[in-house]
Amino acid sequence: MEKTVSATNATHATSSTLGATLGFWAANIFLFAYNFVLAGGFFFQFALNEFPCPLCMIQRYFMMLACFGPLYVIINTKRGTITTQKMIRGYGMSLLAALVGSTASIRQILLHIKPGDPGYGSAVFGIHTYTWALVSFVVVMVFSAIMMIFAKELTPKGTEYNAVATINVWLFAILIVANLIAIIALEGFNFLLPSDPTKYMLFH
Amino acid sequence: MDIIIMLIITLMFLKVIIKGKFDKRDFMLWILTFVLVVVLFKLHATSNLNLNL
């Protein structure tokens, strides 16, 4: 009887450790995926010389705000203060940012939905970047919902933090600072971005 | 306004990284940034179409 109880406890411990590791890596994958998307935005801006429109920038802000969810989980894991409640709060932030961010993407899709409209900027695999942004927001909403449903099982234990997470966080830092510099150059001394930017206002 | 939003996001991030924790004040700052982005969205996405909802 005692052997059966200890075997069950061992199985629970293994599955909870696996869940905690999975939860931590899920937060890292989320942050890395949006790092990739934000870096892709810079590729369009600087390599293809396509200026981001105001709605594009708004979608980037919502992506950055959504990233604060997994960042909250990663930071608390590093400190060893992560709890299920904090995990839910983090993904709640992501869910809210993705929900409102998706309305900005839908708005931009609707602006160019008329047949014959070439859309704004280049397309990737036949789909414009703002439509990809909507796809990313929907994925984040589904992902965050799953993380919240299984928050108890997926809460990291506080021992999972590693160098990969540090690199991921600093990559996010570089992208935030780069976005700040880019928006200063793009907006210049104006209060709002022009609806169809064609130059860096700071230098004109 | 975009510059103000990006400045707040950058400061909030740096604060979190340097302190190594995300407390209630940072959470309030996140909400403030969120509201500012929603206001910016409203400023850019106001339609003159007489839509019937």
Side-chain angles (χ1 to χ4, degrees):
Chain A
M1 182 68 179
E2 276 179 17
K3 270 187 180 176
T4 316
V5 171
S6 63
T8 313
N9 285 343
T11 313
H12 277 297
T14 312
S15 63
S16 80
T17 307
L18 184 71
T21 308
L22 198 66
F24 180 71
W25 280 105
N28 272 287
I29 290 167
F30 180 159
L31 191 60
F32 181 78
Y34 260 156
N35 278 343
F36 181 77
V37 172
L38 290 169
F42 278 124
F43 174 78
F44 277 88
Q45 188 171 342
F46 297 111
L48 304 180
N49 215 20
E50 290 178 5
F51 292 89
C53 65
L55 279 173
C56 304
M57 288 311 301
I58 288 167
Q59 287 163 72
R60 280 193 202 178
Y61 303 145
F62 280 121
M63 285 176 186
M64 283 182 233
L65 288 175
C67 284
F68 274 86
L71 183 72
Y72 183 67
V73 173
I74 292 169
I75 292 287
N76 277 298
T77 305
K78 186 184 180 186
R79 295 187 77 214
T81 54
I82 187 78
T83 59
T84 303
Q85 190 200 4
K86 284 182 176 174
M87 177 103 162
I88 293 171
R89 182 180 288 172
Y91 285 108
M93 286 157 70
S94 300
L95 189 61
L96 189 61
L99 182 71
V100 186
S102 68
T103 64
S105 301
I106 291 168
R107 158 87 187 182
Q108 198 167 4
I109 290 168
L110 290 177
L111 282 175
H112 301 287
I113 205 164
K114 207 172 108 185
D117 190 310
Y120 188 89
S122 303
V124 182
F125 302 121
I127 296 174
H128 283 91
T129 47
Y130 41 84
T131 313
W132 280 118
L134 176 63
V135 171
S136 83
F137 285 131
V138 171
V139 169
V140 166
M141 282 189 268
V142 173
F143 178 85
S144 300
I146 292 170
M147 294 304 283
M148 288 161 95
I149 291 167
F150 297 105
K152 196 179 166 191
E153 290 80 10
L154 295 173
T155 304
K157 295 201 177 305
T159 52
E160 294 85 358
Y161 193 84
N162 54 33
V164 176
T166 306
I167 294 167
N168 212 3
V169 170
W170 282 105
L171 197 62
F172 185 48
I174 292 166
L175 286 164
I176 284 184
V177 174
N179 264 295
L180 174 66
I181 295 166
I183 198 64
I184 290 171
L186 204 59
E187 199 169 63
F189 298 101
N190 301 294
F191 184 66
L192 293 173
L193 275 176
S195 54
D196 194 7
T198 51
K199 58 190 172 191
Y200 289 100
M201 300 299 281
L202 186 66
F203 310 119
H204 291 87
Chain B
M1 191 162 180
D2 292 73
I3 296 173
I4 296 167
I5 289 168
M6 268 318 298
L7 265 175
I8 298 174
I9 292 177
T10 309
L11 289 175
M12 179 169 57
F13 180 81
L14 291 176
K15 201 168 156 245
V16 168
I17 289 298
I18 292 165
K19 278 196 312 179
K21 63 175 182 177
F22 196 106
D23 55 24
K24 278 215 169 86
R25 273 191 207 164
D26 300 312
F27 190 63
M28 291 301 155
L29 209 55
W30 186 91
I31 292 172
L32 172 74
T33 319
F34 179 83
V35 171
L36 282 175
V37 182
V38 172
V39 170
L40 183 68
F41 182 28
K42 175 68 187 155
L43 286 174
H44 278 296
T46 304
S47 174
N48 293 322
L49 293 173
N50 187 19
L51 297 172
N52 187 6
L53 298 173

